């Protein structure tokens, strides 16, 4: 029977059973006894006497269970052996009250220690003196209560109504010996053996033994004053109870049971709450951990139980009752010996595929639990197509709360493993590194998600590693120096062999890392590089998947729209309609799964606490990278000199590219989605990082990675809350480091991005330059940058000429492409107004219109920014734009676009809803006029405008003046300035026409071979051809080769042809003299 069952109302005591439970024979029991004694580990201390019990009288049947061992004391074999009452301290207690059911004594004021588990509180009574209970009676009462067993056939329940198991064999032995029918420590082992043998075989023995353990522990804890004899009784009961729990799990045959995996396991007890009657309490685990060294059978019990729990959890999701499994491991985490044993288990880290790690390693299933599990996403985001933004955000908030609670548990678990012992810590680091090294494919262009670990698993790993970094990520970066730059040369855990390096090819990297260094990396270094890799393969890969899902969703929606468009055509074909419905249903299911997953990933990545930790880590990586590259002790607030040393450190060159890429990607994500957390979290290290590797761009090989630094600055200028210039705008405007290096760095990259080496480089450069314009506009309020621009144009003229030339090239191209789309849009919009056009033709025209509209919008945005930048620069530094190398092209570009906006062709620019394409002639025309006015004081510019034979027309200038005045686009003083400038153009044009008459018959050797114009400064090329200096300078700005041989050359390679120049000057003087004589003769006539 089960002694733990609650007895109904008291009933007469049953008669002793006629037969004993099945038990092994005497010889078998003796063998088992010897094995048990070896496990028990030696003699125990006697509470009173050490005399052994008398053997049973002859003729007595062999007991069903073994008696006490030779080394076991029997101090309480009889009441007469107890110490005399007179010799004990007297206490004042009330007379004992007899229980009406059992006749056992009970205390009137307080429950006895043995009754605290079930006894209900009795009303308090006035305390009266009472004699102390004899130790024999105490032993019988407490052991009866703890083990719910009795040798007295008249007792069938204890004082609290709990059913007692009668032990007939032990009762008979005591009767034969003439001993009182009471339980004692001497015969406790026999009592336990007999009661568990009678326990139902369809129930695990721990269902009896664990509650008994808890009762004895409660009895020990309520002893309020020193009572050595009672303590010894309880300690022995505790020892025997624990030992029998272990035997029940490891040697069930000792109790006449067959091995049963369902019964011989701690799993069900670990999965219950610790305060559950049949749960595994902390005291039991504490006792087990304390015995690990002396009993090698205990650790395997606990490790196997956790392995089984892990295996069960691997089949669950966050939708299921997973918490109790995590709680079991949390309980283990309080006991370092248990964690040390788990870390040594083969399942802790075994060779697995990337996808198998999260299911088949011991910790994997715990990290696998996530709201990103497919079956969970559809619960949080059911019917995602109908969810509005508010519902999505509510679900994401709930998701974040659940995930944060789980990650807090994971953090506690991993911290406990890390602190358990050096060996266990290393095993955890090995497991984390194995995850990183097995998941390189997560950053492939095309990812097969069946071959890699899941996003939820990897994000959890990333978050926990971020948490491990928190202790050393202080605000003043005092511990960044402990991160060993030579980590990858000291047998690193993280494998970067196949990763692209910052500025080294595979051969250079292999050569550098082939030389190994002695020593081991410290814990900070290990965790730092593991976390860096985790961000790359974990959270950043999840971010990339979210972007990919965005594209997939648009594709699925487009497909569904096309399918629905076919439905009317199938109205009279039911079989085809049925097939269409099935196809639509499948597509909708795929679409909804994609939307649910996208919303879930977004919710996970938008968690502010997670991103705050990530941001802090990326700040540390930033400072560390700058230290390695600059070979200095850089920290925010300290100076950093640019450009960096020409001799690049190999340790920096051979670092994985993701060390820099992940910083940029992480900050861009936060800038865009959670700017609130970045306001107080970012110092000037972000500006230092971007400007350092833009100014010293040769330190980074990947042009896209360099361009992402521009994007980082650009995102930092977005208005955020009260910051009109964004998070970085004010810092870029006012800090000394930015003032010293920003303008030159972004202008330098403006030039470099002309050629990225990619097939899309022509279009990429426009996006990069658009962002550069935004950064410059943001800081232009500081006059320091204007002065710096003037100084730059004087100190490094070739650099500035290249910049202005490219700026002009961009303006020419984007204005031409942008404005050139409007005639097409105008034509298409006119055609579509005709409602008689067949639907098929209309669809084709609408597709053409969408394409033209998209191109016009893109180019006009770029055109507006480019013209705006030219206006800023020409206002500050007009001299730079009137240099001979570029002034003629600048004048031609301005004249051409002015004619487009105000000439006869302007009628084709009229389209419906022009603002939709970012085109506003009333804004663009005044800005172009401003550029004319900014440069109007230069005679060279005036001559270049008037000399433009293709586009300069006085009528265009007059029309422009009329539009400006009639539309009130300029102030009166600006209109007057424009009129005066137009007059200068006309006068200069007349003078140039006269010169054409004078120099029209120039000898061929005086003319430029490429442009056919009269040379002013002839130079000899390496190919021995002669060109004007302005012509070859302009050519080299866009193509640094000899135009005749295509060999590389620079302006330094040309040789001035002084002799030819003198001849040209002399000839021009002669022609002018002849012209004056001719004019005089004409006047005389």
């Amino acid at each position: 029977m089960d002694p733990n069952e609650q007895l109904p109302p008291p009933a007469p005591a049953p008669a002793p059973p006629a037969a004993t439970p099945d038990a092994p024979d005497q010889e078998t029991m003796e063998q088992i006894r010897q094995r048990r004694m070896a496990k028990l580990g030696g003699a125990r201390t006697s509470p009173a006497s050490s005399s052994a019990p008398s053997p049973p009288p002859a003729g007595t049947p062999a007991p069903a269970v073994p008696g006490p061992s030779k080394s076991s004391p029997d101090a309480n074999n009889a009441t007469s052996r107890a110490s005399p009452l007179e010799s004990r301290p007297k206490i004042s207690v009330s007379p004992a009250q007899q229980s009406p059911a059992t006749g056992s004594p009970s205390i009137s004021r307080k429950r006895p220690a043995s009754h605290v588990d079930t006894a209900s509180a009795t009303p308090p009574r006035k305390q009266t003196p009472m004699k102390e209970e004899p130790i024999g009676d105490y032993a019988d009462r407490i052991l009866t209560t703890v083990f719910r067993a009795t040798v007295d056939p008249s007792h069938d329940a204890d004082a609290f109504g709990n059913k007692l198991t009668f032990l007939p064999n032990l009762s008979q032995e005591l009767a034969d010996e003439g001993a009182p029918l009471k339980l004692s420590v001497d015969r406790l082992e026999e009592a336990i053996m007999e009661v568990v043998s009678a326990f139902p075989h369809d129930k695990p023995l721990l269902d009896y033994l664990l509650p008994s353990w808890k009762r004895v522990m409660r009895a020990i804890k309520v002893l309020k004053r020193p009572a050595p004899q009672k303590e010894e009784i309880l300690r022995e009961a505790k020892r025997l109870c624990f030992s029998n729990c272990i035997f029940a799990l490891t040697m069930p045959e000792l109790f006449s049971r067959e091995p049963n995996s369902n019964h011989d396991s701690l799993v069900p007890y670990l999965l219950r709450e610790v305060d559950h009657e049949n749960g595994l309490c902390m005291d039991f685990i504490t006792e087990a951990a304390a015995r690990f060294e002396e009993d090698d059978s205990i650790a395997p019990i606990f490790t196997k139980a956790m392995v089984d729990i892990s295996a069960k959890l691997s089949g669950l999701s966050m939708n299921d009752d997973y918490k109790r499994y995590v709680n079991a491991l949390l309980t283990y985490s309080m006991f370092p010996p248990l964690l040390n044993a788990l870390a040594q288990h083969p399942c802790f880290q075994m060779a697995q595929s990337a996808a198998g790690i999260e299911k088949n390693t011991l910790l994997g299933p715990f990290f696998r639990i996530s709201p990103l599990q497919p079956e969970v996403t559809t619960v949080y985001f059911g019917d995602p197509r109908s969810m509005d933004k508010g519902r999505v955000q509510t679900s994401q908030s709930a998701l974040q709360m659940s995930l944060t609670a789980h990650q807090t548990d994971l953090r506690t678990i991993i911290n406990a493993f890390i602190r358990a012992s050096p060996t266990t810590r290393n095993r955890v680091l090995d497991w984390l590194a194995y995850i990183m090294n097995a998941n390189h494919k997560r950053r492939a262009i095309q990812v097969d998600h069946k071959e890699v670990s899941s996003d939820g698993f990897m994000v959890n790993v990333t978050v926990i590693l971020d948490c491990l970094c928190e202790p050393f990520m202080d605000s003043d970066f005092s511990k960044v120096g402990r991160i060993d730059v030579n980590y990858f040369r000291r047998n690193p855990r993280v494998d970067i062999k196949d990763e692209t390096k910052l500025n080294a090819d595979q051969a250079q990297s292999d050569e550098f890392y082939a030389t190994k260094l002695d020593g081991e990396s410290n814990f900070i270094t290990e965790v730092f590089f593991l976390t860096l890799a985790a961000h790359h393969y974990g959270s950043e890969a999840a971010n990339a998947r979210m972007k990919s899902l965005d594209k997939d969703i648009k594709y699925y929606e487009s497909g569904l729209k096309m399918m629905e468009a076919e439905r009317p055509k199938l109205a009279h074909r039911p079989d085809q309609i049925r097939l269409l419905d099935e196809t639509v249903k499948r597509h909708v299911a795929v679409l909804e799964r994609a939307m649910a997953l996208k919303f879930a990933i977004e919710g996970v990545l938008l968690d502010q606490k997670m991103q705050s930790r990530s941001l802090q880590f990326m700040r540390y990586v930033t400072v560390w990278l700058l230290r390695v590259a600059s070979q200095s002790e850089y920290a925010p607030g300290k100076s950093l000199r640019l450009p960096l040393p020409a001799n690049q450190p190999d340790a920096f060159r051979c670092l994985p590219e993701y060390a820099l890429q992940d910083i940029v990607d992480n900050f861009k994500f936060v800038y865009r989605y959670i700017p609130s957390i970045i306001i107080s979290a970012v110092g000037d290290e972000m500006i230092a990082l971007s400007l350092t590797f833009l100014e010293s761009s040769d330190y980074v090989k990947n042009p896209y990675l360099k361009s992402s630094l521009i994007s980082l600055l650009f995102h930092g200028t977005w208005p955020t809350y009260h910051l009109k210039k964004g998070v970085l705008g004010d810092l870029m405007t006012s800090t000394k480091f930015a003032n010293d290096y920003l303008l030159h760095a972004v202008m330098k990259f403006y030039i470099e991005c002309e050629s990225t080496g990619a097939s899309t480089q022509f279009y990429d450069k426009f996006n990069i330059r658009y962002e550069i314009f935004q950064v410059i506009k943001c800081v232009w309020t500081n006059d320091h940058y204007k002065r710096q621009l003037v100084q730059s144009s004087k100190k490094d003229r070739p650099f500035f000429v290249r910049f202005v030339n490219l700026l002009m090239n961009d303006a020419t191209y984007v204005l031409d492409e942008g404005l050139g789309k409007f005639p097409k849009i105008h034509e298409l919009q006119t055609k579509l107004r005709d409602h008689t056009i067949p639907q098929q033709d209309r669809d084709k025209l609408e597709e053409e219109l969408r394409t033209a509209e998209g191109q016009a919008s893109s180019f006009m945005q770029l055109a507006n920014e480019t013209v705006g930048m030219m206006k800023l620069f020409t206002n500050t530094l007009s001299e730079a734009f009137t240099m001979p190398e570029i002034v003629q092209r600048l004048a031609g570009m301005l004249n051409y676009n002015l004619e487009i906006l105000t000439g006869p062709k302007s009628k084709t620019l009229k389209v419906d809803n022009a603002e939709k394409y970012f085109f506003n002639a009333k804004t663009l025309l005044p800005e172009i006029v401003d550029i004319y006015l900014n440069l109007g004081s230069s005679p060279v510019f005036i001559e270049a405008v008037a000399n433009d034979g293709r586009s300069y027309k006085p009528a265009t200038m007059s029309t422009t003046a009329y539009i400006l005045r009639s539309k009130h686009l300029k102030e009166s003083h600006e209109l007057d300035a424009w009129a005066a400038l137009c007059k200068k153009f006309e006068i200069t044009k007349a003078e140039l026409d006269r010169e054409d008459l004078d120099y029209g018959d120039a000898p061929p050797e005086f003319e430029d071979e490429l442009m056919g114009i009269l040379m002013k400064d002839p130079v000899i090329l390496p190919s021995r051809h002669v060109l004007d200096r302005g012509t070859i300078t302009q050519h080299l700005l866009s193509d640094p080769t000899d135009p005749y041989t295509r060999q590389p050359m620079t302006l330094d390679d040309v040789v001035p042809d002084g002799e030819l120049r003198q001849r040209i000057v002399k000839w021009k003087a002669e022609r002018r003299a002849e012209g004056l004589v001719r004019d005089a003769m004409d006047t005389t006539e």
Side-chain angles (χ1 to χ4, degrees):
M1 83 179 99
D2 185 349
N4 293 324
E5 292 180 7
Q6 193 74 18
L7 189 70
T20 62
D22 294 338
D25 57 37
Q26 188 74 17
E27 181 179 357
T28 302
M29 288 304 303
E30 183 59 30
Q31 294 173 357
I32 293 175
R33 179 197 302 277
Q34 297 302 323
R35 291 164 57 190
R36 289 189 65 214
M37 291 306 103
K39 291 288 182 181
L40 287 174
R44 47 189 168 82
T45 305
S46 171
S49 171
S50 60
S51 59
S54 302
T60 303
V65 293
S69 63
K70 291 187 293 182
S71 60
S72 299
D74 59 345
N76 297 300
N77 203 23
T79 307
S80 60
R81 290 185 173 180
S83 301
L85 288 176
E86 304 82 62
S87 65
R88 300 179 186 168
K90 300 292 184 180
I91 57 173
S92 178
V93 295
S94 58
Q97 301 292 323
Q98 296 296 319
S99 167
T102 63
S104 59
S106 62
I107 305 299
S108 63
R109 180 173 177 81
K110 294 184 180 180
R111 290 181 293 170
S114 59
H115 295 171
V116 296
D117 59 330
T118 55
S120 57
T122 55
R125 299 180 182 178
K126 185 176 180 180
Q127 186 172 354
T128 55
M130 168 185 168
K131 292 183 179 181
E132 184 173 354
E133 181 182 22
I135 194 65
D137 292 346
Y138 171 81
D140 177 59
R141 177 174 57 81
I142 199 69
L143 294 179
T144 296
T145 301
V146 166
F147 293 99
R148 293 185 180 172
T150 181
V151 291
D152 186 347
S154 64
H155 287 181
D156 62 352
D158 63 12
F160 313 110
N162 298 304
K163 183 189 299 183
L164 300 179
T165 299
F166 177 64
L167 308 179
N169 293 338
L170 182 57
S171 178
Q172 184 63 46
E173 287 185 19
L174 292 174
D176 292 345
E177 294 171 4
L181 295 182
K182 296 181 180 181
L183 285 178
S184 64
V185 170
D186 295 324
R187 312 303 289 267
L188 180 57
E189 187 173 356
E190 297 174 66
I192 294 175
M193 181 62 74
E194 186 170 348
V195 73
V196 297
S197 297
F199 195 75
H201 282 220
D202 60 343
K203 295 182 179 180
L205 283 179
L206 289 189
D207 282 1
Y208 165 71
L209 292 170
L210 284 179
S212 300
W213 164 269
K214 291 188 176 185
R215 288 189 289 270
V216 73
M217 291 306 300
R218 286 195 288 265
I220 291 173
K221 291 175 182 178
V222 297
L223 286 176
K224 294 184 177 180
R225 62 183 65 195
Q229 292 179 310
K230 294 181 179 179
E231 290 174 2
E232 184 62 27
I233 292 170
L234 293 174
R235 277 200 300 270
E236 181 63 7
K238 167 186 169 184
R239 183 185 71 82
L240 289 174
C241 189
F242 181 86
S243 298
N244 279 281
C245 286
I246 301 303
F247 294 144
L249 295 170
T250 57
M251 296 189 299
E253 63 274 11
L254 183 64
F255 306 103
S256 306
R257 288 173 172 249
E258 295 294 326
N260 185 329
S261 58
N262 294 326
H263 291 180
D264 310 336
S265 172
L266 288 176
V267 170
Y269 307 97
L270 287 166
L271 294 180
R272 297 177 185 136
E273 297 291 336
V274 292
D275 56 355
H276 189 281
E277 180 67 14
N278 282 350
L280 209 61
C281 66
M282 303 301 289
D283 294 320
F284 186 90
I285 302 175
T286 302
E287 180 74 12
R291 293 196 186 193
F292 267 24
E293 292 187 4
E294 66 183 60
D295 189 344
D296 58 8
S297 68
I298 298 177
I301 297 173
F302 282 83
T303 54
K304 182 180 183 304
M306 188 50 62
V307 169
D308 292 344
I309 287 174
S310 176
K312 290 176 180 290
L313 183 60
S314 67
L316 303 182
S317 73
M318 194 168 263
N319 290 341
D320 303 311
D321 182 18
Y322 72 92
K323 183 65 177 176
R324 57 200 186 111
Y325 296 83
V326 178
N327 286 341
L329 188 54
L330 279 171
T331 301
Y332 272 45
S333 68
M334 302 178 189
F335 302 93
L338 288 179
L339 300 182
N340 292 334
L342 287 179
Q344 297 306 314
H345 194 279
C347 283
F348 190 85
Q349 180 183 341
M350 57 175 58
Q352 290 289 326
S353 64
I357 295 173
E358 61 187 85
K359 285 193 171 184
N360 301 321
T361 61
L362 193 143
L363 292 177
F366 296 91
F367 279 79
R368 180 173 175 267
I369 295 296
S370 167
L372 298 185
Q373 292 172 288
E375 58 269 43
V376 181
T377 60
T378 54
V379 172
Y380 276 103
F381 304 97
D383 193 14
R385 299 173 72 196
S386 66
M387 295 180 73
D388 58 25
K389 187 175 181 180
R391 286 180 59 200
V392 170
Q393 290 178 343
T394 300
S395 295
Q396 288 175 340
S397 297
L399 172 153
Q400 290 169 1
M401 292 176 63
S402 298
L403 182 59
T404 299
H406 180 56
Q407 288 173 346
T408 301
D409 292 339
L410 293 179
R411 179 179 185 175
T412 301
I413 290 165
I414 290 298
N415 270 328
F417 271 101
I418 292 295
R419 299 172 187 276
S421 70
T423 301
T424 298
R425 180 179 67 195
N426 287 329
R427 292 281 288 172
V428 172
L429 295 178
D430 288 341
W431 179 71
L432 293 169
Y434 188 78
I435 295 169
M436 304 307 142
N437 298 333
N439 277 287
H440 286 200
K441 290 183 179 180
R442 278 179 57 83
R443 297 313 304 266
I445 296 176
Q446 296 291 333
V447 181
D448 183 350
H449 294 285
K450 295 180 180 178
E451 294 183 359
V452 295
S453 297
S454 66
D455 290 311
F457 174 79
M458 293 301 294
V459 167
N460 283 340
V461 171
T462 305
V463 169
I464 298 311
L465 279 166
D466 273 339
C467 293
L468 290 180
C469 292
E470 277 188 312
F472 65 80
M473 292 194 301
D474 53 346
S475 59
D476 57 357
F477 299 90
S478 63
K479 297 181 181 178
V480 71
R482 297 185 62 186
I483 301 170
D484 185 5
V485 69
N486 290 311
Y487 169 76
F488 291 111
R489 302 176 74 186
R490 301 186 192 277
N491 297 314
R493 286 183 165 90
V494 179
D495 179 16
I496 61 167
K497 181 176 176 59
D498 298 329
E499 290 293 338
T500 304
K501 307 306 186 292
L502 274 172
N503 200 26
D505 57 29
Q506 190 66 45
Q508 293 169 331
S509 173
D510 291 346
E511 180 182 359
F512 176 70
Y513 288 124
T515 304
K516 296 295 182 182
L517 300 179
D518 296 332
E520 295 183 356
S521 298
N522 58 53
F523 179 71
I524 289 178
T525 300
E526 292 279 8
V527 174
F528 177 83
F529 285 102
L530 279 170
T531 309
L532 189 59
H535 276 275
H536 185 60
Y537 304 118
S539 57
E540 294 305 327
N543 188 12
R545 188 176 188 190
M546 184 176 70
K547 295 176 183 177
S548 176
L549 284 168
D550 232 353
K551 295 178 182 178
D552 292 344
I553 289 168
K554 292 178 181 177
Y555 174 77
Y556 297 146
E557 288 176 337
S558 174
L560 283 172
K561 186 177 180 181
M562 292 174 62
M563 282 187 269
E564 291 298 337
E566 294 295 315
R567 187 177 294 277
K569 301 176 184 179
L570 306 176
H572 303 292
R573 300 170 63 182
D575 55 333
Q576 294 297 318
I577 286 287
R578 187 167 55 255
L579 290 174
L580 178 64
D581 288 340
E582 292 175 358
T583 305
V584 167
K585 185 177 179 180
R586 288 197 300 271
H587 276 69
V588 167
V590 173
L591 171 61
E592 290 187 341
R593 286 198 298 270
M595 292 180 71
L597 180 56
K598 185 238 179 182
F599 289 150
I601 294 176
E602 190 178 68
V604 169
L605 296 181
L606 289 178
D607 182 78
Q608 293 194 9
K609 291 183 179 178
M610 168 191 167
Q611 290 296 348
S612 294
R613 281 191 297 265
S614 175
L615 204 62
Q616 180 66 6
F617 175 74
M618 288 304 168
R619 291 186 67 198
Y620 245 72
V621 180
T622 299
V623 173
W624 181 78
L625 268 182
L626 289 172
R627 283 187 168 213
V628 175
S630 64
Q631 303 174 62
S632 69
E633 297 298 315
Y634 168 78
K638 293 185 178 180
S639 61
L640 186 63
R641 188 173 182 80
L642 299 182
L644 296 175
N647 186 20
Q648 300 180 19
D650 287 337
F652 176 84
R653 294 172 61 244
C654 296
L655 283 173
E657 195 175 80
Y658 65 69
L660 180 56
Q661 184 68 61
D662 288 352
I663 297 173
V664 177
D665 290 344
N666 184 261
F667 273 87
K668 283 168 63 177
F669 180 86
V670 174
Y671 281 140
R672 181 172 182 179
Y673 295 106
I674 332 174
S676 58
I677 70 171
I678 208 171
I679 294 175
S680 59
V682 174
D684 58 5
E685 68 277 353
M686 282 298 105
I687 297 174
L689 177 79
S690 300
L691 299 187
T692 295
F693 295 118
L694 288 173
E695 182 65 36
S696 299
S697 56
D698 54 330
Y699 268 60
V700 180
K701 180 172 58 176
N702 186 345
Y704 285 106
L705 184 52
K706 287 185 279 191
S707 69
S708 66
L709 296 172
I710 291 290
S711 297
L712 185 62
L713 295 177
F714 167 60
H715 283 74
T717 64
W718 290 1
T720 302
Y721 299 103
H722 62 286
L723 303 175
K724 294 182 179 180
K725 290 187 175 182
V727 178
L728 297 181
D730 290 332
L731 291 173
M732 290 191 292
T733 304
S734 58
T735 58
K736 185 179 186 304
F737 184 82
N739 291 164
D740 290 344
Y741 299 112
L742 184 143
L743 189 60
H744 187 272
V746 297
M747 289 172 64
K748 181 174 183 287
F749 194 68
Y750 187 101
I751 296 171
E752 290 181 5
C753 71
E754 180 71 15
S755 176
T756 62
S759 59
T760 57
Q761 66 180 18
F762 182 78
Y763 298 99
D764 292 339
K765 68 181 181 182
F766 292 116
N767 295 324
I768 296 168
R769 288 169 178 171
Y770 173 84
E771 295 180 348
I772 290 175
F773 292 153
Q774 304 309 309
V775 173
I776 293 176
K777 284 168 62 178
C778 177
V779 302
W780 204 244
T781 54
N782 186 344
D783 290 340
H784 171 82
Y785 288 106
K786 300 174 185 178
R787 294 191 295 271
Q788 195 178 64
L789 185 67
V790 175
Q791 295 170 3
S792 175
S793 67
K794 295 176 180 178
K795 288 182 180 179
D796 193 352
R797 180 184 174 97
F799 170 83
F800 200 77
V801 168
R802 288 194 67 194
F803 172 77
V804 172
N805 180 68
L806 292 173
L807 182 62
M808 234 176 7
N809 287 348
D810 289 351
T812 302
Y813 179 79
V814 296
L815 278 169
D816 189 46
E817 288 294 315
L819 297 177
K821 300 299 178 187
F822 290 109
K824 181 68 172 177
I825 294 173
H826 176 82
E827 177 188 351
L828 292 170
Q829 288 178 343
T830 302
K831 289 182 178 180
L832 286 169
R833 292 191 187 100
D834 183 359
H835 299 291
T836 63
I837 298 177
Q839 185 61 42
Q840 186 174 358
D841 293 342
R842 179 175 291 276
D843 291 343
K844 184 177 180 181
L845 290 174
E846 287 177 347
E847 181 62 30
E848 289 183 36
L849 179 61
R850 281 193 293 270
T851 302
E853 287 178 336
Q855 293 173 342
S857 298
S858 298
F859 283 120
M860 284 312 302
Q861 288 185 76
L862 293 169
N864 294 333
E865 294 300 328
T866 307
V867 172
M869 194 55 50
M870 290 184 68
K871 176 184 172 182
L872 283 180
F873 282 4
T874 54
N875 184 48
T876 301
L877 189 63
S878 60
E879 299 85 356
F881 288 84
T882 57
M883 291 182 287
E885 298 93 330
I886 59 177
V887 67
Q888 192 62 54
R889 293 184 59 243
L890 174 60
M893 182 270 290
L894 292 173
N895 289 341
Y896 175 78
N897 287 290
L898 193 66
E899 184 180 15
I900 291 292
L901 290 172
T902 63
K905 295 181 180 179
S906 62
K907 295 179 181 179
T908 63
L909 301 179
K910 294 181 179 179
V911 295
D912 297 337
N913 193 15
E915 292 78 9
K916 171 183 175 183
Y917 316 113
F918 302 95
F919 172 57
N920 187 342
K922 293 181 180 180
T923 301
L924 184 59
L925 177 61
E927 290 202 331
I928 291 178
V929 169
D930 284 338
I931 297 173
Y932 275 101
L933 294 175
N934 290 341
L935 302 176
S937 60
S938 169
V940 176
F941 175 70
I942 294 173
E943 180 181 341
V945 171
N947 198 34
D948 177 23
R950 182 186 69 160
S951 302
Y952 171 71
K953 296 180 181 64
T956 301
M957 301 298 174
S958 299
T959 304
T960 301
Y962 172 76
I963 294 173
L964 294 174
R965 184 179 297 105
S966 62
K967 302 293 184 182
H968 306 288
L969 301 179
K970 286 293 181 184
E971 300 292 336
S972 58
H973 68 278
E974 293 174 310
L975 291 172
D976 293 341
W978 176 251
L981 183 59
C982 291
K983 187 64 175 176
K984 292 180 182 179
F985 292 152
E986 291 180 16
I987 295 171
T988 304
K989 175 63 175 174
E991 293 174 353
L992 291 173
D993 289 343
R994 190 161 46 249
E995 284 186 2
D996 285 343
L997 291 175
D998 294 339
Y999 306 142
D1001 57 347
E1005 66 268 23
F1006 291 177
E1007 292 181 347
D1008 184 278
E1009 295 182 13
L1010 290 181
M1011 304 301 293
I1013 61 174
L1014 184 65
M1015 291 186 288
K1016 297 179 180 179
D1017 185 7
V1019 294
I1020 303 172
L1021 307 187
S1023 60
R1024 310 310 299 169
H1025 289 269
V1026 179
L1027 296 177
D1028 189 72
R1029 181 181 294 274
T1031 300
I1032 188 60
T1033 300
Q1034 187 172 322
H1035 167 78
L1036 293 175
L1037 288 174
S1038 56
D1039 185 1
T1041 64
D1042 188 309
Y1044 294 95
T1045 63
R1046 314 307 299 171
Q1047 294 300 311
M1049 69 166 288
T1050 66
L1051 200 58
D1052 295 334
D1053 296 327
V1054 304
V1055 178
D1057 193 338
E1059 186 271 334
L1060 179 59
R1061 180 178 182 181
Q1062 291 299 323
R1063 289 170 56 198
I1064 293 173
V1065 170
K1066 181 181 179 181
W1067 180 83
K1068 289 172 69 176
E1070 292 173 352
R1071 297 299 292 172
R1072 281 196 299 272
E1074 292 176 5
L1076 291 173
V1077 171
R1078 186 170 55 250
D1079 290 343
M1081 291 174 62
D1082 291 342
T1083 304
T1084 301
E1085 293 176 358

